[in-house]
Amino acid sequence: MSRSRDRTRRHPAYLRRPEEFYTLWIAATSTYGVGDIVSTIAFLAYVPAVEEANPVVALALDSFGLAGLVGLKIAVYLVMLWISVLGARDGDGLLYYFPPVLLTLVGLYLTGSNVRLMWIATG
């Protein structure tokens, strides 16, 4: 094994391919962070008769209001980011890609679900 090839293996994926890393996490932030939070707030504001279905989110909202929702989202996001960074450092592709892809898919689903339910309830 050549020295330059060995040196490349020691660098985590987020340093070798920073554009990829940022693209993955921007997608997760846009859907899970912004999309779900905004659609949840809109849903709760425009359809007050409906309550949050997720018991963990409902507890956070009841205890701390919207700050509880945002704080919970940030905590989950940071844990997933930490897992992804550890995966990149260890060279584990699954742990590197899975967290941002999962958050993006969950964010897309939750945002779509909130918008659909809001549309049904107000239409």
Side-chain angles (χ1 to χ4, degrees):
M1 186 177 296
S2 72
R3 183 180 171 105
S4 63
R5 192 171 192 200
D6 186 38
R7 189 179 310 141
T8 304
R9 294 188 92 197
R10 286 185 280 160
H11 293 295
Y14 58 83
L15 291 178
R16 287 179 295 167
R17 299 182 306 271
E19 298 84 16
E20 175 187 79
F21 182 79
Y22 291 125
T23 300
L24 288 167
W25 284 101
I26 287 170
T29 303
S30 300
T31 58
Y32 180 77
V34 177
D36 183 38
I37 289 173
V38 170
S39 65
T40 299
I41 291 170
F43 185 56
L44 294 174
Y46 291 116
V47 189
V50 177
E51 294 182 10
E52 173 61 46
N54 183 327
V56 176
V57 175
L59 178 64
L61 283 167
D62 290 342
S63 301
F64 304 104
L66 294 178
L69 171 67
V70 173
L72 182 62
K73 291 281 186 181
I74 290 172
V76 169
Y77 182 89
L78 290 176
V79 167
M80 296 296 266
L81 180 62
W82 177 68
I83 291 169
S84 181
V85 168
L86 286 179
R89 287 182 182 164
D90 292 344
D92 187 331
L94 178 64
L95 289 181
Y96 172 67
Y97 289 107
F98 184 72
V101 170
L102 177 66
L103 287 182
T104 299
L105 293 175
V106 168
L108 284 170
Y109 173 77
L110 293 175
T111 302
S113 177
N114 286 342
V115 169
R116 183 180 75 70
L117 290 172
M118 189 169 33
W119 184 59
I120 290 170
T122 59

